[in-house]
Short mmCIF file of all heavy atoms in Angstrom, two decimals:
data_model
loop_
_atom_site.label_atom_id
_atom_site.label_comp_id
_atom_site.label_asym_id
_atom_site.label_seq_id
_atom_site.Cartn_x
_atom_site.Cartn_y
_atom_site.Cartn_z
N HIS A 1274 -48.28 -40.16 64.11
CA HIS A 1274 -46.93 -40.58 63.58
C HIS A 1274 -47.15 -41.86 62.83
O HIS A 1274 -47.82 -42.72 63.19
CB HIS A 1274 -45.92 -40.71 64.76
CG HIS A 1274 -44.54 -40.73 64.32
ND1 HIS A 1274 -44.01 -41.86 63.77
CD2 HIS A 1274 -43.57 -39.74 64.40
CE1 HIS A 1274 -42.71 -41.52 63.50
NE2 HIS A 1274 -42.43 -40.37 63.83
N PRO A 1275 -46.46 -41.98 61.60
CA PRO A 1275 -46.62 -43.13 60.88
C PRO A 1275 -46.13 -44.46 61.54
O PRO A 1275 -46.53 -45.51 61.10
CB PRO A 1275 -45.70 -42.90 59.61
CG PRO A 1275 -44.79 -41.82 60.08
CD PRO A 1275 -45.50 -41.00 61.05
N SER A 1284 -61.95 -50.58 59.04
CA SER A 1284 -61.80 -51.67 59.94
C SER A 1284 -62.74 -51.52 61.11
O SER A 1284 -63.27 -52.43 61.71
CB SER A 1284 -60.37 -51.82 60.37
OG SER A 1284 -59.95 -50.67 61.08
N SER A 1307 -70.89 -64.61 85.24
CA SER A 1307 -69.54 -64.26 85.47
C SER A 1307 -68.84 -65.22 86.46
O SER A 1307 -69.49 -65.58 87.46
CB SER A 1307 -69.45 -62.78 86.05
OG SER A 1307 -68.14 -62.52 86.30
N HIS A 1309 -65.95 -64.36 87.86
CA HIS A 1309 -64.93 -63.60 88.60
C HIS A 1309 -65.11 -63.81 90.11
O HIS A 1309 -64.16 -63.99 90.75
CB HIS A 1309 -65.18 -62.13 88.22
CG HIS A 1309 -64.20 -61.20 89.05
ND1 HIS A 1309 -62.88 -61.12 88.74
CD2 HIS A 1309 -64.43 -60.40 90.06
CE1 HIS A 1309 -62.29 -60.29 89.58
NE2 HIS A 1309 -63.26 -59.86 90.38
N VAL A 1312 -63.89 -67.33 91.08
CA VAL A 1312 -62.45 -67.52 91.09
C VAL A 1312 -61.83 -66.71 92.21
O VAL A 1312 -60.88 -67.15 92.82
CB VAL A 1312 -61.93 -67.01 89.70
CG1 VAL A 1312 -60.42 -67.02 89.70
CG2 VAL A 1312 -62.47 -67.89 88.60
N ASP A 1325 -53.49 -51.69 89.11
CA ASP A 1325 -53.70 -50.94 90.34
C ASP A 1325 -52.35 -50.69 91.07
O ASP A 1325 -52.41 -50.02 92.13
CB ASP A 1325 -54.61 -51.80 91.29
CG ASP A 1325 -56.03 -51.98 90.67
OD1 ASP A 1325 -56.45 -51.06 89.85
OD2 ASP A 1325 -56.65 -52.97 90.94
N VAL A 1336 -36.75 -56.67 85.34
CA VAL A 1336 -37.27 -57.76 84.53
C VAL A 1336 -36.26 -58.85 84.37
O VAL A 1336 -35.06 -58.49 84.20
CB VAL A 1336 -37.78 -57.25 83.18
CG1 VAL A 1336 -38.30 -58.34 82.30
CG2 VAL A 1336 -38.86 -56.11 83.36
N VAL A 1356 -39.47 -59.81 56.18
CA VAL A 1356 -38.77 -58.61 55.54
C VAL A 1356 -37.94 -59.13 54.38
O VAL A 1356 -37.74 -60.34 54.21
CB VAL A 1356 -37.82 -57.93 56.60
CG1 VAL A 1356 -38.73 -57.30 57.63
CG2 VAL A 1356 -36.78 -58.86 57.18
N LEU A 1366 -37.29 -53.14 63.43
CA LEU A 1366 -36.94 -53.06 64.80
C LEU A 1366 -36.95 -51.71 65.33
O LEU A 1366 -37.27 -51.44 66.51
CB LEU A 1366 -35.55 -53.68 65.02
CG LEU A 1366 -35.45 -55.18 64.72
CD1 LEU A 1366 -33.91 -55.67 64.80
CD2 LEU A 1366 -36.21 -56.02 65.66
N LEU A 1369 -40.52 -50.73 66.18
CA LEU A 1369 -40.99 -51.36 67.48
C LEU A 1369 -40.32 -50.58 68.64
O LEU A 1369 -41.05 -50.37 69.64
CB LEU A 1369 -40.55 -52.83 67.56
CG LEU A 1369 -41.17 -53.83 66.56
CD1 LEU A 1369 -40.61 -55.20 66.59
CD2 LEU A 1369 -42.73 -53.85 66.81
N GLY A 1374 -40.42 -46.37 73.09
CA GLY A 1374 -39.89 -45.05 73.53
C GLY A 1374 -40.99 -44.06 73.88
O GLY A 1374 -40.79 -43.24 74.85
N TRP A 1383 -44.23 -38.51 83.89
CA TRP A 1383 -45.23 -38.67 84.94
C TRP A 1383 -44.56 -38.80 86.32
O TRP A 1383 -44.98 -38.18 87.28
CB TRP A 1383 -46.18 -39.87 84.58
CG TRP A 1383 -47.29 -40.03 85.60
CD1 TRP A 1383 -48.57 -39.43 85.48
CD2 TRP A 1383 -47.27 -40.77 86.87
NE1 TRP A 1383 -49.26 -39.85 86.56
CE2 TRP A 1383 -48.58 -40.61 87.41
CE3 TRP A 1383 -46.28 -41.53 87.47
CZ2 TRP A 1383 -48.92 -41.20 88.62
CZ3 TRP A 1383 -46.62 -42.12 88.65
CH2 TRP A 1383 -47.88 -42.00 89.23
N SER A 1388 -42.99 -36.57 91.63
CA SER A 1388 -42.03 -36.61 92.69
C SER A 1388 -41.38 -35.24 92.94
O SER A 1388 -40.60 -35.07 93.86
CB SER A 1388 -40.86 -37.57 92.35
OG SER A 1388 -40.22 -37.28 91.17
N THR A 1407 -28.10 -41.03 80.42
CA THR A 1407 -28.17 -41.49 81.79
C THR A 1407 -29.52 -42.05 82.23
O THR A 1407 -29.70 -43.21 82.54
CB THR A 1407 -27.77 -40.35 82.71
OG1 THR A 1407 -26.51 -39.85 82.33
CG2 THR A 1407 -27.61 -40.93 84.17
N VAL A 1409 -32.64 -42.30 80.64
CA VAL A 1409 -33.41 -43.21 79.78
C VAL A 1409 -32.73 -44.54 79.73
O VAL A 1409 -33.32 -45.62 79.78
CB VAL A 1409 -33.57 -42.56 78.46
CG1 VAL A 1409 -34.19 -43.61 77.46
CG2 VAL A 1409 -34.40 -41.28 78.42
N ASP A 1419 -22.13 -45.67 78.12
CA ASP A 1419 -20.73 -45.48 78.48
C ASP A 1419 -20.16 -44.15 78.00
O ASP A 1419 -19.26 -43.61 78.67
CB ASP A 1419 -19.88 -46.70 77.84
CG ASP A 1419 -20.24 -48.00 78.50
OD1 ASP A 1419 -19.94 -48.16 79.64
OD2 ASP A 1419 -20.94 -48.74 77.81
N SER A 1451 -23.82 -59.86 58.85
CA SER A 1451 -22.81 -59.31 59.80
C SER A 1451 -23.08 -57.76 60.01
O SER A 1451 -22.78 -57.17 61.03
CB SER A 1451 -21.45 -59.51 59.38
OG SER A 1451 -21.19 -58.95 58.05
N GLN A 1452 -23.76 -57.12 58.99
CA GLN A 1452 -24.07 -55.67 59.10
C GLN A 1452 -25.24 -55.37 59.95
O GLN A 1452 -25.53 -54.24 60.28
CB GLN A 1452 -24.21 -55.11 57.75
CG GLN A 1452 -23.02 -55.23 56.79
CD GLN A 1452 -21.78 -54.55 57.36
OE1 GLN A 1452 -21.90 -53.41 57.99
NE2 GLN A 1452 -20.60 -55.15 57.24
N GLU A 1464 -35.02 -42.23 69.26
CA GLU A 1464 -35.77 -41.31 68.45
C GLU A 1464 -37.14 -40.90 68.97
O GLU A 1464 -37.53 -39.73 68.77
CB GLU A 1464 -35.86 -42.03 67.03
CG GLU A 1464 -36.36 -41.06 65.94
CD GLU A 1464 -36.30 -41.74 64.56
OE1 GLU A 1464 -35.50 -42.72 64.42
OE2 GLU A 1464 -37.00 -41.28 63.63
N VAL A 1466 -38.00 -40.62 72.10
CA VAL A 1466 -37.77 -39.74 73.20
C VAL A 1466 -37.41 -38.27 72.65
O VAL A 1466 -37.93 -37.25 73.10
CB VAL A 1466 -36.70 -40.18 74.23
CG1 VAL A 1466 -36.36 -39.16 75.23
CG2 VAL A 1466 -37.13 -41.53 74.86
N PRO A 1482 -17.38 -52.66 66.98
CA PRO A 1482 -16.64 -53.55 68.00
C PRO A 1482 -15.20 -53.27 68.03
O PRO A 1482 -14.59 -52.72 67.03
CB PRO A 1482 -16.90 -54.92 67.42
CG PRO A 1482 -17.16 -54.77 65.96
CD PRO A 1482 -17.83 -53.39 65.79
N GLN A 1485 -11.58 -55.19 73.03
CA GLN A 1485 -12.05 -55.26 74.39
C GLN A 1485 -13.57 -55.45 74.47
O GLN A 1485 -14.06 -56.16 75.40
CB GLN A 1485 -11.65 -54.02 75.17
CG GLN A 1485 -11.95 -54.06 76.71
CD GLN A 1485 -11.49 -52.80 77.41
OE1 GLN A 1485 -10.95 -51.90 76.82
NE2 GLN A 1485 -11.64 -52.76 78.73
N LEU A 1493 -26.16 -43.42 66.52
CA LEU A 1493 -25.94 -42.15 65.81
C LEU A 1493 -27.20 -41.33 65.69
O LEU A 1493 -28.19 -41.75 65.25
CB LEU A 1493 -25.32 -42.44 64.45
CG LEU A 1493 -25.12 -41.25 63.48
CD1 LEU A 1493 -23.96 -40.33 64.14
CD2 LEU A 1493 -24.71 -41.72 62.12
N LYS A 1508 -28.32 -19.47 72.53
CA LYS A 1508 -27.00 -19.24 73.07
C LYS A 1508 -26.94 -17.75 73.60
O LYS A 1508 -27.59 -16.89 73.13
CB LYS A 1508 -25.96 -19.37 71.96
CG LYS A 1508 -25.74 -20.88 71.58
CD LYS A 1508 -24.59 -20.95 70.56
CE LYS A 1508 -24.34 -22.44 70.20
NZ LYS A 1508 -23.22 -22.57 69.26
#
Side-chain angles (χ1 to χ4, degrees):
H1274 198 281
S1284 59
S1307 176
H1309 177 73
V1312 173
D1325 296 332
V1336 178
V1356 297
L1366 293 177
L1369 293 175
W1383 185 89
S1388 60
T1407 305
V1409 173
D1419 295 288
S1451 59
Q1452 299 299 321
E1464 187 170 341
V1466 173
Q1485 185 177 2
L1493 178 61
K1508 287 184 178 180

